[in-house]
Amino acid sequence: MRFLDHDDADDPILSVVNLIDLFLVVIGILMIVIARNPLNPFSSTKAVVVENPGESDMRITVKDGRELTRYESTGTIGEGRGVLAGTTYRLPDGRLIYVPETVAPGTP
């Protein structure tokens, strides 16, 4: 009886089972990648992602809970209004020393 000696290696359904196992592994890897992403839509933590730091096309994405805010660089140097609050000095051992400005009495 020839059909009793049939080899299971020729069975095409075994190839399908192997493909299903492969797809399950790929899906598991993709789920791990999504869970480790700082901008994961399922987490409620705060995260800041900086893309191309220091370049003219730098972008900063801030995630606060489910809200995403994106800031894009315009490439121009910004300027602001303010007053000098003090000076910071770095000592030879690496420590930083902050020296506040002396303010005359009666000035804000």
Side-chain angles (χ1 to χ4, degrees), residues 19 28 34 39 42 46 53 60 63 69 73 82 84 89 98 107:
L19 282 176
I34 289 173
L39 298 178
F42 304 112
K46 293 183 180 182
I60 299 173
K63 178 182 180 284
T69 307
S73 173
L84 183 63
Y89 298 98
Y98 170 72
T107 57

Side-chain angles (χ1 to χ4, degrees), residues 49 51 53 56 61 80 87 89 95:
V49 176
E51 300 172 33
S56 62
T61 305
T87 309
Y89 298 98
R95 291 184 296 157

